[in-house]
Amino acid sequence: MMTRWKLTKLEILYRQSWLFGWQLNGPQPASPLPIFVDPWKGNPQNGALIAQGTLPFPLSSEPFARFNWIRDLRDYGGSRARMTARTLILRWLAEHKDWSPVAWRPDIIATRLTNLCLTYGWFGESADEDFQHQLKQMMAVQFRCLSLDWQRLTSPFDQLVALTGLVTGQVALNIPLQAVKGAKDINALLDLIIPKVKGQLNPDGGHKSRRPETHLDLLRLLLECRVAMAQIGLADRPGLEELILKMAAIAKMWRHASGDFAHFHFAGALPAAEIEQIISRCAVKGRVISIAEDTGFVRLSAARSLVIMDTGVSGPVSPVARTQADSGTPASVFAFEFSVSNHQFIVNSGQTSPEPRLNRALCQTAAHSCLTLDGLDNHRPLAGLPASVQSLDVTTADDGFLIEGLHDGYGKSHGIIHKRQLFLAKSGNSLRGKDTLSYTGAPGEIPTEAITRFHLHPRVSAAKIKQNQVLLKIHNQKTGWVFKCRGGEVFLDQSVYMDGTSRLSCQQIVIRTPAHHIQVNGTADISWAFNRHSPSAPRATR
């Protein structure tokens, strides 16, 4: 329970005593709370259920304590929703007026204060004086507690959540920050925040975790800081706007034309509309970047076709960052996704299941559109067999765009390196690839079989038309595609795709290539292509 922040047993006892409550007492804000412009939207469907008395989670739960649900009620609308919000807030205040290790955890306090501040204009401005008095008293007490405890959080990201909550709370309540060393005003808080944000990022602006949704959560925090600064007319701080723009450019890089994130590194839980509302507030102009070398992704776009490829490696997940639902390190070196127009075509399975065991399975290389050797992951840091990308080149030719990458994920175990080439024609009508396994001469196990997988989106159907050819049809598109390969035998198999938390059935194309002769022959090549279907293409056989 206390892994997210550090408190000794004695400190916990002290916080549960009347002395700690006395320490948090102080003058209340004399002026009314300001009216912020809330940049975020809620879920009116959830709001309808809450207004009718059906809570999506218990009043005592962590999700409720964050108070994100207020936006759901607001966007559902009506006086009944407003009264429900006030009633639930007062109920929660009555049940959690005393310190507790979850509801009063610094990052949860920060999120709760931010949500109360940003939505106050809807639920609180027109409330009676007694409600406003109780609300301000609670917010002031918890703001003081947050300023005391934020440094006890073990995760740098959680510390940033807490600090941005202090920024918003300071603007709303105007309470001195003596408890935060060296931070007596908003500028001083930003002096703490900006270096911490930079410490979370690679030089190209991508989050070091390589997780798109963690990256987006951090970007959201910076935007909330900007809203608070605008409330008091504070001009842009040097470095803050630059961070926002760099991070937004990386976030756009991970998106398909549908607005969804590609299924890399636990992405896929956030709906496209929520991703859009964050990125759109960054005011990013210009073309989407195509190479994020430090974070390890490449994006190729031609006509209405798009390829997003993972060209980096991730370290093992730390115990602090690991959660019940997403434990594991995705082994997705050189995996890719391919979309046509706003239709996803070649995908990765994704790791958004609420089942930890399933997520760990979906972290495997086999759950990605990639090549595996002897069924082993191509990146195994916990086993002492991490992969490294030895070379990466992205070039433009007259007729298309080429990615060439080399990794050594099977170097220590088999003495074999894997080279992947992807070529996207400028017409967008052809995606061609070549996977080459080369023996380095180093000692290792004799390989048995290489398997190259292409997971198909659930809205893509496939049927074999010849021995090594597959006819593919994207639902709601008139033209189809034909898959061909050399260097192995093609099969169709079942697969899974995580659509949010829903597990959907889909198909996958599998190329099986014997690999036991690689150490004798030196190399093994598997060439393949997805080409837009022409009217003269043969029909599928039954």
Side-chain angles (χ1 to χ4, degrees), residues 107 110-111 113-114 143 146 150 157-170 186 189-190 193 197 217-218 220-226 228:
D107 59 307
T111 304
L113 288 176
T114 298
F143 178 83
L146 175 61
W150 71 271
F157 184 88
D158 285 346
Q159 288 190 358
L160 282 168
V161 172
L163 284 168
T164 53
L166 284 172
V167 169
T168 306
Q170 170 68 10
I186 299 301
L189 281 173
L190 292 172
I193 289 172
V197 171
D217 286 342
L218 181 54
R220 180 183 179 120
L221 294 178
L222 296 184
L223 292 172
E224 288 174 350
C225 278
R226 194 166 70 178

PDB file of all heavy atoms in Angstrom, residues 107 110-111 113-114 143 146 150 157-170 186 189-190 193 197 217-218 220-226 228:
ATOM      1  N   ASP A 107      -0.241  12.382  -4.571  1.00  0.00           N
ATOM      2  CA  ASP A 107      -0.640  12.496  -5.973  1.00  0.00           C
ATOM      3  C   ASP A 107      -2.159  12.474  -6.125  1.00  0.00           C
ATOM      4  O   ASP A 107      -2.712  13.121  -7.032  1.00  0.00           O
ATOM      5  CB  ASP A 107      -0.006  11.386  -6.806  1.00  0.00           C
ATOM      6  CG  ASP A 107      -0.376  10.001  -6.320  1.00  0.00           C
ATOM      7  OD1 ASP A 107      -0.199   9.724  -5.121  1.00  0.00           O
ATOM      8  OD2 ASP A 107      -0.842   9.174  -7.134  1.00  0.00           O
ATOM      9  N   ALA A 110      -3.418  15.911  -5.120  1.00  0.00           N
ATOM     10  CA  ALA A 110      -3.134  16.871  -6.193  1.00  0.00           C
ATOM     11  C   ALA A 110      -4.159  16.761  -7.314  1.00  0.00           C
ATOM     12  O   ALA A 110      -4.661  17.784  -7.809  1.00  0.00           O
ATOM     13  CB  ALA A 110      -1.730  16.628  -6.737  1.00  0.00           C
ATOM     14  N   THR A 111      -4.469  15.539  -7.738  1.00  0.00           N
ATOM     15  CA  THR A 111      -5.458  15.354  -8.803  1.00  0.00           C
ATOM     16  C   THR A 111      -6.829  15.840  -8.358  1.00  0.00           C
ATOM     17  O   THR A 111      -7.556  16.492  -9.121  1.00  0.00           O
ATOM     18  CB  THR A 111      -5.537  13.867  -9.201  1.00  0.00           C
ATOM     19  OG1 THR A 111      -4.233  13.422  -9.584  1.00  0.00           O
ATOM     20  CG2 THR A 111      -6.494  13.658 -10.370  1.00  0.00           C
ATOM     21  N   LEU A 113      -7.546  18.159  -6.027  1.00  0.00           N
ATOM     22  CA  LEU A 113      -7.558  19.629  -5.952  1.00  0.00           C
ATOM     23  C   LEU A 113      -7.654  20.246  -7.352  1.00  0.00           C
ATOM     24  O   LEU A 113      -8.403  21.211  -7.569  1.00  0.00           O
ATOM     25  CB  LEU A 113      -6.308  20.127  -5.243  1.00  0.00           C
ATOM     26  CG  LEU A 113      -6.222  19.901  -3.735  1.00  0.00           C
ATOM     27  CD1 LEU A 113      -4.874  20.370  -3.211  1.00  0.00           C
ATOM     28  CD2 LEU A 113      -7.350  20.620  -3.003  1.00  0.00           C
ATOM     29  N   THR A 114      -6.890  19.693  -8.297  1.00  0.00           N
ATOM     30  CA  THR A 114      -6.927  20.223  -9.662  1.00  0.00           C
ATOM     31  C   THR A 114      -8.319  20.083 -10.260  1.00  0.00           C
ATOM     32  O   THR A 114      -8.846  21.024 -10.866  1.00  0.00           O
ATOM     33  CB  THR A 114      -5.894  19.499 -10.537  1.00  0.00           C
ATOM     34  OG1 THR A 114      -4.580  19.730 -10.018  1.00  0.00           O
ATOM     35  CG2 THR A 114      -5.948  20.002 -11.973  1.00  0.00           C
ATOM     36  N   PHE A 143      -4.366  21.044   0.770  1.00  0.00           N
ATOM     37  CA  PHE A 143      -3.281  21.735   0.078  1.00  0.00           C
ATOM     38  C   PHE A 143      -2.044  21.796   0.977  1.00  0.00           C
ATOM     39  O   PHE A 143      -0.915  21.552   0.524  1.00  0.00           O
ATOM     40  CB  PHE A 143      -3.732  23.144  -0.312  1.00  0.00           C
ATOM     41  CG  PHE A 143      -2.665  23.966  -0.984  1.00  0.00           C
ATOM     42  CD1 PHE A 143      -2.417  23.847  -2.337  1.00  0.00           C
ATOM     43  CD2 PHE A 143      -1.900  24.862  -0.243  1.00  0.00           C
ATOM     44  CE1 PHE A 143      -1.431  24.603  -2.958  1.00  0.00           C
ATOM     45  CE2 PHE A 143      -0.917  25.627  -0.849  1.00  0.00           C
ATOM     46  CZ  PHE A 143      -0.680  25.493  -2.210  1.00  0.00           C
ATOM     47  N   LEU A 146      -0.504  18.393   1.125  1.00  0.00           N
ATOM     48  CA  LEU A 146       0.207  18.116  -0.121  1.00  0.00           C
ATOM     49  C   LEU A 146       1.563  18.798  -0.130  1.00  0.00           C
ATOM     50  O   LEU A 146       2.575  18.205  -0.544  1.00  0.00           O
ATOM     51  CB  LEU A 146      -0.642  18.582  -1.311  1.00  0.00           C
ATOM     52  CG  LEU A 146      -0.005  18.479  -2.698  1.00  0.00           C
ATOM     53  CD1 LEU A 146       0.328  17.028  -3.031  1.00  0.00           C
ATOM     54  CD2 LEU A 146      -0.953  19.055  -3.752  1.00  0.00           C
ATOM     55  N   TRP A 150       4.633  15.939  -0.685  1.00  0.00           N
ATOM     56  CA  TRP A 150       4.855  15.583  -2.093  1.00  0.00           C
ATOM     57  C   TRP A 150       6.206  14.917  -2.330  1.00  0.00           C
ATOM     58  O   TRP A 150       6.342  14.038  -3.184  1.00  0.00           O
ATOM     59  CB  TRP A 150       4.702  16.815  -2.984  1.00  0.00           C
ATOM     60  CG  TRP A 150       5.813  17.829  -2.875  1.00  0.00           C
ATOM     61  CD1 TRP A 150       5.887  18.872  -2.008  1.00  0.00           C
ATOM     62  CD2 TRP A 150       7.007  17.875  -3.661  1.00  0.00           C
ATOM     63  NE1 TRP A 150       7.061  19.569  -2.197  1.00  0.00           N
ATOM     64  CE2 TRP A 150       7.761  18.975  -3.212  1.00  0.00           C
ATOM     65  CE3 TRP A 150       7.508  17.100  -4.699  1.00  0.00           C
ATOM     66  CZ2 TRP A 150       8.984  19.320  -3.761  1.00  0.00           C
ATOM     67  CZ3 TRP A 150       8.741  17.437  -5.257  1.00  0.00           C
ATOM     68  CH2 TRP A 150       9.460  18.539  -4.790  1.00  0.00           C
ATOM     69  N   PHE A 157       7.358  10.717 -11.636  1.00  0.00           N
ATOM     70  CA  PHE A 157       6.127  11.132 -12.300  1.00  0.00           C
ATOM     71  C   PHE A 157       5.076  11.534 -11.270  1.00  0.00           C
ATOM     72  O   PHE A 157       4.398  12.561 -11.421  1.00  0.00           O
ATOM     73  CB  PHE A 157       5.583  10.012 -13.182  1.00  0.00           C
ATOM     74  CG  PHE A 157       4.359  10.401 -13.964  1.00  0.00           C
ATOM     75  CD1 PHE A 157       4.477  10.999 -15.211  1.00  0.00           C
ATOM     76  CD2 PHE A 157       3.085  10.201 -13.444  1.00  0.00           C
ATOM     77  CE1 PHE A 157       3.352  11.389 -15.918  1.00  0.00           C
ATOM     78  CE2 PHE A 157       1.960  10.591 -14.148  1.00  0.00           C
ATOM     79  CZ  PHE A 157       2.097  11.172 -15.397  1.00  0.00           C
ATOM     80  N   ASP A 158       4.912  10.745 -10.204  1.00  0.00           N
ATOM     81  CA  ASP A 158       3.949  11.101  -9.161  1.00  0.00           C
ATOM     82  C   ASP A 158       4.316  12.427  -8.505  1.00  0.00           C
ATOM     83  O   ASP A 158       3.434  13.205  -8.127  1.00  0.00           O
ATOM     84  CB  ASP A 158       3.885   9.991  -8.111  1.00  0.00           C
ATOM     85  CG  ASP A 158       3.120   8.768  -8.595  1.00  0.00           C
ATOM     86  OD1 ASP A 158       2.421   8.865  -9.620  1.00  0.00           O
ATOM     87  OD2 ASP A 158       3.230   7.703  -7.943  1.00  0.00           O
ATOM     88  N   GLN A 159       5.606  12.689  -8.351  1.00  0.00           N
ATOM     89  CA  GLN A 159       6.024  13.976  -7.794  1.00  0.00           C
ATOM     90  C   GLN A 159       5.587  15.131  -8.696  1.00  0.00           C
ATOM     91  O   GLN A 159       5.174  16.196  -8.218  1.00  0.00           O
ATOM     92  CB  GLN A 159       7.540  14.002  -7.592  1.00  0.00           C
ATOM     93  CG  GLN A 159       8.018  13.140  -6.434  1.00  0.00           C
ATOM     94  CD  GLN A 159       9.488  13.365  -6.115  1.00  0.00           C
ATOM     95  OE1 GLN A 159      10.182  14.148  -6.774  1.00  0.00           O
ATOM     96  NE2 GLN A 159       9.988  12.687  -5.089  1.00  0.00           N
ATOM     97  N   LEU A 160       5.657  14.912 -10.015  1.00  0.00           N
ATOM     98  CA  LEU A 160       5.201  15.952 -10.936  1.00  0.00           C
ATOM     99  C   LEU A 160       3.699  16.156 -10.847  1.00  0.00           C
ATOM    100  O   LEU A 160       3.204  17.285 -10.951  1.00  0.00           O
ATOM    101  CB  LEU A 160       5.615  15.593 -12.367  1.00  0.00           C
ATOM    102  CG  LEU A 160       7.080  15.866 -12.703  1.00  0.00           C
ATOM    103  CD1 LEU A 160       7.470  15.219 -14.021  1.00  0.00           C
ATOM    104  CD2 LEU A 160       7.341  17.367 -12.758  1.00  0.00           C
ATOM    105  N   VAL A 161       2.949  15.067 -10.658  1.00  0.00           N
ATOM    106  CA  VAL A 161       1.502  15.197 -10.443  1.00  0.00           C
ATOM    107  C   VAL A 161       1.246  16.086  -9.229  1.00  0.00           C
ATOM    108  O   VAL A 161       0.399  16.997  -9.254  1.00  0.00           O
ATOM    109  CB  VAL A 161       0.854  13.809 -10.248  1.00  0.00           C
ATOM    110  CG1 VAL A 161      -0.616  13.956  -9.834  1.00  0.00           C
ATOM    111  CG2 VAL A 161       0.951  12.983 -11.517  1.00  0.00           C
ATOM    112  N   ALA A 162       1.988  15.823  -8.153  1.00  0.00           N
ATOM    113  CA  ALA A 162       1.805  16.588  -6.922  1.00  0.00           C
ATOM    114  C   ALA A 162       2.187  18.055  -7.110  1.00  0.00           C
ATOM    115  O   ALA A 162       1.468  18.957  -6.654  1.00  0.00           O
ATOM    116  CB  ALA A 162       2.636  15.960  -5.800  1.00  0.00           C
ATOM    117  N   LEU A 163       3.292  18.313  -7.780  1.00  0.00           N
ATOM    118  CA  LEU A 163       3.740  19.696  -7.972  1.00  0.00           C
ATOM    119  C   LEU A 163       2.770  20.492  -8.841  1.00  0.00           C
ATOM    120  O   LEU A 163       2.496  21.669  -8.572  1.00  0.00           O
ATOM    121  CB  LEU A 163       5.138  19.709  -8.592  1.00  0.00           C
ATOM    122  CG  LEU A 163       6.291  19.371  -7.643  1.00  0.00           C
ATOM    123  CD1 LEU A 163       7.575  19.136  -8.407  1.00  0.00           C
ATOM    124  CD2 LEU A 163       6.480  20.478  -6.606  1.00  0.00           C
ATOM    125  N   THR A 164       2.235  19.878  -9.895  1.00  0.00           N
ATOM    126  CA  THR A 164       1.269  20.604 -10.721  1.00  0.00           C
ATOM    127  C   THR A 164      -0.028  20.837  -9.954  1.00  0.00           C
ATOM    128  O   THR A 164      -0.701  21.854 -10.164  1.00  0.00           O
ATOM    129  CB  THR A 164       0.985  19.850 -12.031  1.00  0.00           C
ATOM    130  OG1 THR A 164       0.602  18.509 -11.741  1.00  0.00           O
ATOM    131  CG2 THR A 164       2.212  19.811 -12.917  1.00  0.00           C
ATOM    132  N   GLY A 165      -0.382  19.920  -9.042  1.00  0.00           N
ATOM    133  CA  GLY A 165      -1.527  20.168  -8.171  1.00  0.00           C
ATOM    134  C   GLY A 165      -1.282  21.347  -7.254  1.00  0.00           C
ATOM    135  O   GLY A 165      -2.197  22.131  -6.963  1.00  0.00           O
ATOM    136  N   LEU A 166      -0.033  21.494  -6.794  1.00  0.00           N
ATOM    137  CA  LEU A 166       0.307  22.656  -5.966  1.00  0.00           C
ATOM    138  C   LEU A 166       0.198  23.958  -6.758  1.00  0.00           C
ATOM    139  O   LEU A 166      -0.222  24.989  -6.221  1.00  0.00           O
ATOM    140  CB  LEU A 166       1.724  22.504  -5.408  1.00  0.00           C
ATOM    141  CG  LEU A 166       1.896  21.512  -4.243  1.00  0.00           C
ATOM    142  CD1 LEU A 166       3.375  21.326  -3.925  1.00  0.00           C
ATOM    143  CD2 LEU A 166       1.140  21.994  -3.004  1.00  0.00           C
ATOM    144  N   VAL A 167       0.579  23.923  -8.030  1.00  0.00           N
ATOM    145  CA  VAL A 167       0.458  25.123  -8.867  1.00  0.00           C
ATOM    146  C   VAL A 167      -1.001  25.556  -8.966  1.00  0.00           C
ATOM    147  O   VAL A 167      -1.341  26.726  -8.729  1.00  0.00           O
ATOM    148  CB  VAL A 167       1.050  24.866 -10.266  1.00  0.00           C
ATOM    149  CG1 VAL A 167       0.699  26.006 -11.219  1.00  0.00           C
ATOM    150  CG2 VAL A 167       2.563  24.704 -10.195  1.00  0.00           C
ATOM    151  N   THR A 168      -1.876  24.627  -9.332  1.00  0.00           N
ATOM    152  CA  THR A 168      -3.290  24.965  -9.473  1.00  0.00           C
ATOM    153  C   THR A 168      -3.885  25.381  -8.129  1.00  0.00           C
ATOM    154  O   THR A 168      -4.649  26.357  -8.050  1.00  0.00           O
ATOM    155  CB  THR A 168      -4.071  23.760 -10.037  1.00  0.00           C
ATOM    156  OG1 THR A 168      -3.452  23.328 -11.246  1.00  0.00           O
ATOM    157  CG2 THR A 168      -5.518  24.142 -10.325  1.00  0.00           C
ATOM    158  N   GLY A 169      -3.550  24.642  -7.067  1.00  0.00           N
ATOM    159  CA  GLY A 169      -4.073  24.980  -5.749  1.00  0.00           C
ATOM    160  C   GLY A 169      -3.584  26.332  -5.257  1.00  0.00           C
ATOM    161  O   GLY A 169      -4.331  27.084  -4.620  1.00  0.00           O
ATOM    162  N   GLN A 170      -2.330  26.655  -5.537  1.00  0.00           N
ATOM    163  CA  GLN A 170      -1.788  27.946  -5.122  1.00  0.00           C
ATOM    164  C   GLN A 170      -2.511  29.099  -5.812  1.00  0.00           C
ATOM    165  O   GLN A 170      -2.828  30.110  -5.194  1.00  0.00           O
ATOM    166  CB  GLN A 170      -0.285  27.995  -5.425  1.00  0.00           C
ATOM    167  CG  GLN A 170       0.367  29.355  -5.260  1.00  0.00           C
ATOM    168  CD  GLN A 170       0.415  29.811  -3.811  1.00  0.00           C
ATOM    169  OE1 GLN A 170       0.132  29.044  -2.906  1.00  0.00           O
ATOM    170  NE2 GLN A 170       0.761  31.061  -3.592  1.00  0.00           N
ATOM    171  N   ILE A 186       4.396  30.807  -7.612  1.00  0.00           N
ATOM    172  CA  ILE A 186       4.214  29.945  -8.777  1.00  0.00           C
ATOM    173  C   ILE A 186       5.519  29.783  -9.551  1.00  0.00           C
ATOM    174  O   ILE A 186       5.866  28.675 -10.002  1.00  0.00           O
ATOM    175  CB  ILE A 186       3.110  30.504  -9.697  1.00  0.00           C
ATOM    176  CG1 ILE A 186       1.785  30.569  -8.928  1.00  0.00           C
ATOM    177  CG2 ILE A 186       2.960  29.639 -10.942  1.00  0.00           C
ATOM    178  CD1 ILE A 186       1.302  29.250  -8.402  1.00  0.00           C
ATOM    179  N   LEU A 189       7.652  27.232  -7.982  1.00  0.00           N
ATOM    180  CA  LEU A 189       7.161  25.879  -8.248  1.00  0.00           C
ATOM    181  C   LEU A 189       7.552  25.432  -9.656  1.00  0.00           C
ATOM    182  O   LEU A 189       7.948  24.281  -9.864  1.00  0.00           O
ATOM    183  CB  LEU A 189       5.641  25.826  -8.079  1.00  0.00           C
ATOM    184  CG  LEU A 189       5.106  25.757  -6.650  1.00  0.00           C
ATOM    185  CD1 LEU A 189       3.584  25.897  -6.645  1.00  0.00           C
ATOM    186  CD2 LEU A 189       5.515  24.450  -5.979  1.00  0.00           C
ATOM    187  N   LEU A 190       7.437  26.342 -10.609  1.00  0.00           N
ATOM    188  CA  LEU A 190       7.822  25.996 -11.982  1.00  0.00           C
ATOM    189  C   LEU A 190       9.320  25.730 -12.096  1.00  0.00           C
ATOM    190  O   LEU A 190       9.751  24.923 -12.926  1.00  0.00           O
ATOM    191  CB  LEU A 190       7.401  27.121 -12.933  1.00  0.00           C
ATOM    192  CG  LEU A 190       5.883  27.289 -13.106  1.00  0.00           C
ATOM    193  CD1 LEU A 190       5.565  28.543 -13.910  1.00  0.00           C
ATOM    194  CD2 LEU A 190       5.279  26.070 -13.781  1.00  0.00           C
ATOM    195  N   ILE A 193       9.414  22.183 -11.316  1.00  0.00           N
ATOM    196  CA  ILE A 193       8.718  21.311 -12.267  1.00  0.00           C
ATOM    197  C   ILE A 193       9.510  21.108 -13.554  1.00  0.00           C
ATOM    198  O   ILE A 193       9.689  19.976 -14.026  1.00  0.00           O
ATOM    199  CB  ILE A 193       7.312  21.875 -12.584  1.00  0.00           C
ATOM    200  CG1 ILE A 193       6.404  21.711 -11.357  1.00  0.00           C
ATOM    201  CG2 ILE A 193       6.697  21.192 -13.800  1.00  0.00           C
ATOM    202  CD1 ILE A 193       5.070  22.410 -11.491  1.00  0.00           C
ATOM    203  N   VAL A 197      10.565  17.585 -15.340  1.00  0.00           N
ATOM    204  CA  VAL A 197       9.993  17.132 -16.609  1.00  0.00           C
ATOM    205  C   VAL A 197      11.104  16.771 -17.584  1.00  0.00           C
ATOM    206  O   VAL A 197      11.061  15.713 -18.236  1.00  0.00           O
ATOM    207  CB  VAL A 197       9.072  18.214 -17.219  1.00  0.00           C
ATOM    208  CG1 VAL A 197       8.654  17.829 -18.640  1.00  0.00           C
ATOM    209  CG2 VAL A 197       7.841  18.410 -16.350  1.00  0.00           C
ATOM    210  N   ASP A 217       0.009  11.601 -20.404  1.00  0.00           N
ATOM    211  CA  ASP A 217      -0.344  12.037 -19.043  1.00  0.00           C
ATOM    212  C   ASP A 217       0.555  13.181 -18.588  1.00  0.00           C
ATOM    213  O   ASP A 217       0.089  14.134 -17.948  1.00  0.00           O
ATOM    214  CB  ASP A 217      -0.217  10.862 -18.068  1.00  0.00           C
ATOM    215  CG  ASP A 217      -1.337   9.851 -18.213  1.00  0.00           C
ATOM    216  OD1 ASP A 217      -2.385  10.195 -18.796  1.00  0.00           O
ATOM    217  OD2 ASP A 217      -1.160   8.706 -17.751  1.00  0.00           O
ATOM    218  N   LEU A 218       1.838  13.084 -18.897  1.00  0.00           N
ATOM    219  CA  LEU A 218       2.764  14.148 -18.517  1.00  0.00           C
ATOM    220  C   LEU A 218       2.459  15.421 -19.298  1.00  0.00           C
ATOM    221  O   LEU A 218       2.491  16.536 -18.738  1.00  0.00           O
ATOM    222  CB  LEU A 218       4.206  13.698 -18.765  1.00  0.00           C
ATOM    223  CG  LEU A 218       5.310  14.692 -18.389  1.00  0.00           C
ATOM    224  CD1 LEU A 218       5.172  15.156 -16.955  1.00  0.00           C
ATOM    225  CD2 LEU A 218       6.688  14.075 -18.622  1.00  0.00           C
ATOM    226  N   ARG A 220      -0.398  16.340 -20.361  1.00  0.00           N
ATOM    227  CA  ARG A 220      -1.618  16.888 -19.752  1.00  0.00           C
ATOM    228  C   ARG A 220      -1.287  17.726 -18.514  1.00  0.00           C
ATOM    229  O   ARG A 220      -1.868  18.797 -18.298  1.00  0.00           O
ATOM    230  CB  ARG A 220      -2.556  15.735 -19.394  1.00  0.00           C
ATOM    231  CG  ARG A 220      -3.865  16.165 -18.756  1.00  0.00           C
ATOM    232  CD  ARG A 220      -4.702  14.946 -18.379  1.00  0.00           C
ATOM    233  NE  ARG A 220      -5.947  15.332 -17.739  1.00  0.00           N
ATOM    234  CZ  ARG A 220      -7.151  15.035 -18.187  1.00  0.00           C
ATOM    235  NH1 ARG A 220      -7.284  14.331 -19.293  1.00  0.00           N
ATOM    236  NH2 ARG A 220      -8.226  15.422 -17.540  1.00  0.00           N
ATOM    237  N   LEU A 221      -0.345  17.256 -17.697  1.00  0.00           N
ATOM    238  CA  LEU A 221       0.057  18.016 -16.513  1.00  0.00           C
ATOM    239  C   LEU A 221       0.620  19.382 -16.894  1.00  0.00           C
ATOM    240  O   LEU A 221       0.318  20.398 -16.253  1.00  0.00           O
ATOM    241  CB  LEU A 221       1.090  17.229 -15.713  1.00  0.00           C
ATOM    242  CG  LEU A 221       0.637  15.917 -15.066  1.00  0.00           C
ATOM    243  CD1 LEU A 221       1.815  15.253 -14.359  1.00  0.00           C
ATOM    244  CD2 LEU A 221      -0.507  16.145 -14.094  1.00  0.00           C
ATOM    245  N   LEU A 222       1.452  19.409 -17.938  1.00  0.00           N
ATOM    246  CA  LEU A 222       2.032  20.692 -18.361  1.00  0.00           C
ATOM    247  C   LEU A 222       0.956  21.647 -18.857  1.00  0.00           C
ATOM    248  O   LEU A 222       1.016  22.861 -18.610  1.00  0.00           O
ATOM    249  CB  LEU A 222       3.079  20.455 -19.450  1.00  0.00           C
ATOM    250  CG  LEU A 222       4.316  19.660 -19.045  1.00  0.00           C
ATOM    251  CD1 LEU A 222       5.299  19.583 -20.201  1.00  0.00           C
ATOM    252  CD2 LEU A 222       4.981  20.261 -17.823  1.00  0.00           C
ATOM    253  N   LEU A 223      -0.040  21.113 -19.549  1.00  0.00           N
ATOM    254  CA  LEU A 223      -1.126  21.968 -20.027  1.00  0.00           C
ATOM    255  C   LEU A 223      -1.950  22.516 -18.865  1.00  0.00           C
ATOM    256  O   LEU A 223      -2.430  23.660 -18.915  1.00  0.00           O
ATOM    257  CB  LEU A 223      -2.011  21.190 -21.000  1.00  0.00           C
ATOM    258  CG  LEU A 223      -1.351  20.826 -22.325  1.00  0.00           C
ATOM    259  CD1 LEU A 223      -2.248  19.888 -23.136  1.00  0.00           C
ATOM    260  CD2 LEU A 223      -1.032  22.073 -23.141  1.00  0.00           C
ATOM    261  N   GLU A 224      -2.129  21.714 -17.814  1.00  0.00           N
ATOM    262  CA  GLU A 224      -2.846  22.208 -16.636  1.00  0.00           C
ATOM    263  C   GLU A 224      -2.055  23.312 -15.940  1.00  0.00           C
ATOM    264  O   GLU A 224      -2.638  24.286 -15.431  1.00  0.00           O
ATOM    265  CB  GLU A 224      -3.134  21.056 -15.681  1.00  0.00           C
ATOM    266  CG  GLU A 224      -4.218  20.109 -16.211  1.00  0.00           C
ATOM    267  CD  GLU A 224      -4.432  18.884 -15.364  1.00  0.00           C
ATOM    268  OE1 GLU A 224      -3.614  18.649 -14.436  1.00  0.00           O
ATOM    269  OE2 GLU A 224      -5.400  18.145 -15.619  1.00  0.00           O
ATOM    270  N   CYS A 225      -0.723  23.183 -15.930  1.00  0.00           N
ATOM    271  CA  CYS A 225       0.111  24.281 -15.403  1.00  0.00           C
ATOM    272  C   CYS A 225      -0.105  25.555 -16.213  1.00  0.00           C
ATOM    273  O   CYS A 225      -0.205  26.653 -15.651  1.00  0.00           O
ATOM    274  CB  CYS A 225       1.584  23.878 -15.453  1.00  0.00           C
ATOM    275  SG  CYS A 225       2.129  22.860 -14.095  1.00  0.00           S
ATOM    276  N   ARG A 226      -0.178  25.393 -17.521  1.00  0.00           N
ATOM    277  CA  ARG A 226      -0.365  26.563 -18.382  1.00  0.00           C
ATOM    278  C   ARG A 226      -1.716  27.234 -18.129  1.00  0.00           C
ATOM    279  O   ARG A 226      -1.814  28.466 -18.153  1.00  0.00           O
ATOM    280  CB  ARG A 226      -0.225  26.148 -19.842  1.00  0.00           C
ATOM    281  CG  ARG A 226      -0.072  27.311 -20.790  1.00  0.00           C
ATOM    282  CD  ARG A 226       0.402  26.867 -22.163  1.00  0.00           C
ATOM    283  NE  ARG A 226      -0.623  26.124 -22.892  1.00  0.00           N
ATOM    284  CZ  ARG A 226      -0.464  25.662 -24.131  1.00  0.00           C
ATOM    285  NH1 ARG A 226       0.699  25.854 -24.746  1.00  0.00           N
ATOM    286  NH2 ARG A 226      -1.413  25.005 -24.741  1.00  0.00           N
ATOM    287  N   ALA A 228      -3.333  27.247 -15.243  1.00  0.00           N
ATOM    288  CA  ALA A 228      -3.215  27.954 -13.970  1.00  0.00           C
ATOM    289  C   ALA A 228      -2.424  29.252 -14.127  1.00  0.00           C
ATOM    290  O   ALA A 228      -2.776  30.289 -13.545  1.00  0.00           O
ATOM    291  CB  ALA A 228      -2.552  27.045 -12.931  1.00  0.00           C
TER     292      ALA A 228
END
